[in-house]
Amino acid sequence: MPDVEYLSYGVVEERDWTLQDPEIFGKAAEADLDCEDHGRMEVSHEENILDAAEREDLSWSLKCLKGRCGRCSALVVDGEISMDAEQEFLTSEEVESKNLCLPCVSEPETDIKLVYGVRHLDGLQDRIK
C-alpha cells in the first residue's frame, strides 16, 4: 500500500514557508504539528486519497467528491498519482506542470508527499464551487 505524507497548506502559510522549499516536509516533521496538519497514512488499493483521509478522521475540505468543485485541491510534491480523467476542475497544465491533483479522484501510484488545502492558490480560489 502506498504511503502518503501530508501537510496542511494552512501551516505552510502560517509559518511563512514556501511550497518550493525542498525541505518543507522535514521542517514539518521537526515542528511537532498535530496529526491533522502533518502526518502519514496508507492508502489501500482501490481507495482514493480523500477516502483514506476520511478513514483516518482527518477533516480535509470536501463537497462534491467527484472532481468538480475543487475544494480538495492538493499539490503533489513528490511521487506519482493517477487521477480520474473525467474530473472537471483542473486544467491539464495545472495537473502536468503545477502537479496539482484532486484527492477525491486520485490514487497514489507510489509513496507521495502531498500538501492539501491549496484551493487558495492564485488561479484556483476564484473557481471553487
Side-chain angles (χ1 to χ4, degrees):
M1 286 191 288
D3 183 64
V4 174
E5 183 176 5
Y6 60 86
L7 174 62
S8 167
Y9 183 65
V11 169
V12 174
E13 285 187 315
E14 288 169 11
R15 296 182 180 248
D16 208 25
W17 296 341
T18 65
L19 293 173
Q20 295 76 25
D21 182 351
E23 299 301 318
I24 194 170
F25 282 86
K27 289 178 179 179
E30 293 173 2
D32 193 34
L33 301 170
D34 67 36
C35 65
E36 183 75 28
D37 292 327
H38 174 253
R40 293 180 184 275
M41 63 182 171
E42 287 186 335
V43 180
S44 66
H45 299 291
E46 299 182 26
E47 181 180 44
N48 66 50
I49 297 166
L50 192 58
D51 285 343
E54 285 183 48
R55 179 177 35 79
E56 296 292 322
D57 292 324
L58 300 172
S59 300
W60 294 9
S61 182
L62 51 106
K63 186 174 178 185
C64 75
L65 305 176
K66 295 181 185 259
R68 294 183 186 136
C69 73
R71 289 182 185 268
C72 68
S73 296
L75 172 71
V76 179
V77 174
D78 188 37
E80 299 293 324
I81 58 119
S82 62
M83 187 166 53
D84 185 343
E86 299 295 316
Q87 66 86 18
E88 301 171 1
F89 186 78
L90 296 172
T91 66
S92 58
E93 178 188 346
E94 289 169 332
V95 173
E96 295 165 14
S97 300
K98 296 181 180 180
N99 294 324
L100 295 175
C101 77
L102 299 172
C104 68
V105 292
S106 298
E107 298 176 5
E109 297 293 323
T110 64
D111 291 347
I112 64 169
K113 292 182 179 180
L114 179 96
V115 177
Y116 74 91
V118 300
R119 65 182 181 274
H120 302 294
L121 290 177
D122 289 341
L124 295 181
Q125 63 187 0
D126 296 334
R127 297 184 353 235
I128 300 292
K129 298 175 185 171

